[in-house]
Amino acid sequence: MTTLQTSRVAPLLDRLFAEADAATSPIFHTVPESERARLLDSKTEYLQLYSLMKDLWLPVSPETGRLLYMLARSIGAKTVIEFGTSFGISTLFLASALRDNGGGRLITSEFEVSKVAKAREHLMEGGLIDLVEIREGDALQTLSVGLPNQVDLVLLDGAKPLYADVLRLVENSLRPGALIIADNADLCPDYREHMRTAHGNYLSVAVADDIELSIRL
């Protein structure tokens, strides 16, 4: 039995996905679509956008969650960096993989205070909080210091315009063979282009249209 199948984690994930599907954000929906699109592409106003969406869970899909678990298990990941904790659903999948790999450390970053509190609550409920360090604040600051010397896997699932910037912060810690998974990469074509033309540093491929999976060479 994997950690994902235990009586603590399996029903927890089912419940959280249901809550995520039911979540609404009346404030966010008052913002005109054109303004949402502008904020989504902004590298300077992303905090405003995600503050508006603080009631939305923005989780990975169940399929993507299982993919994260499988990838982390397949490479025997011990150290994981996550950009964009939200309510902690993807964090649960990754921490479950670390548990089944024999332990490790997951550093994740989230600037929205209310989401940090809920993510911590969910990780405690799943019995995985001991594997996770949640860094509260803007990832451009929180992930700029105190990183492990060797990182096995990175998940990018925060503000899309920052994917390349966050990758640059952790790049020197990536071991050869480390995996980088960028969710919703279809929304950040510049990042995709960077990963596919990175002068031999990465091999990168699209998965299921909206995920970019890359390996550090």
Side-chain angles (χ1 to χ4, degrees):
M1 177 182 290
T2 70
T3 297
L4 289 180
Q5 297 169 311
T6 63
S7 58
R8 292 188 76 170
V9 176
L12 172 62
L13 283 169
D14 287 343
R15 191 191 86 225
L16 296 183
F17 276 121
E19 291 181 16
D21 287 342
T24 60
S25 178
I27 294 176
F28 177 67
H29 290 294
T30 64
V31 179
E33 190 170 339
S34 59
E35 178 66 2
R36 290 187 225 165
R38 187 186 70 79
L39 292 172
L40 187 63
D41 288 335
S42 174
K43 295 188 71 168
T44 58
E45 297 177 85
Y46 53 90
L47 294 180
Q48 178 183 343
L49 173 67
Y50 285 89
S51 291
L52 290 169
M53 294 193 293
K54 67 180 182 179
D55 295 323
L56 298 177
W57 288 51
L58 309 174
V60 297
S61 68
E63 295 77 17
T64 298
R66 288 192 290 272
L67 176 64
L68 293 173
Y69 175 88
M70 292 165 62
L71 291 172
R73 287 299 311 277
S74 69
I75 64 170
K78 293 291 186 181
T79 307
V80 175
I81 304 293
E82 179 183 39
F83 167 46
T85 317
S86 192
F87 286 79
I89 288 179
S90 55
T91 319
L92 285 164
F93 280 101
L94 290 168
S96 293
L98 290 182
R99 178 73 78 213
D100 294 338
N101 283 344
R105 181 185 184 195
L106 194 165
I107 298 172
T108 184
S109 180
E110 174 60 49
F111 88 93
E112 181 58 52
V113 176
S114 60
K115 287 188 172 183
V116 170
K118 294 301 291 186
R120 185 170 285 113
E121 177 184 313
H122 297 151
L123 288 160
M124 290 180 66
E125 186 176 348
L128 296 165
I129 190 65
D130 60 300
L131 299 169
V132 180
E133 175 190 347
I134 304 177
R135 297 187 178 182
E136 183 181 316
D138 187 334
L140 295 183
Q141 278 76 53
T142 64
L143 297 181
S144 66
V145 295
L147 296 183
N149 292 328
Q150 180 169 292
V151 171
D152 302 306
L153 184 146
V154 175
L155 172 62
L156 302 174
D157 195 23
K160 313 312 169 191
L162 301 187
Y163 277 12
D165 296 311
V166 171
L167 179 64
R168 277 190 285 270
L169 293 177
V170 305
E171 202 159 31
N172 288 339
S173 297
L174 295 176
R175 68 164 175 83
L179 297 178
I180 304 95
I181 303 104
D183 197 30
N184 308 122
D186 53 320
L187 299 177
C188 41
D190 290 347
Y191 170 81
R192 272 188 167 173
E193 179 67 16
H194 169 72
M195 297 304 285
R196 295 179 186 185
T197 59
H199 308 294
N201 292 323
Y202 299 97
L203 184 64
S204 196
V205 65
V207 178
D209 295 329
D210 65 342
I211 297 170
E212 189 75 6
L213 174 61
S214 311
I215 186 170
R216 176 71 164 175
L217 299 176

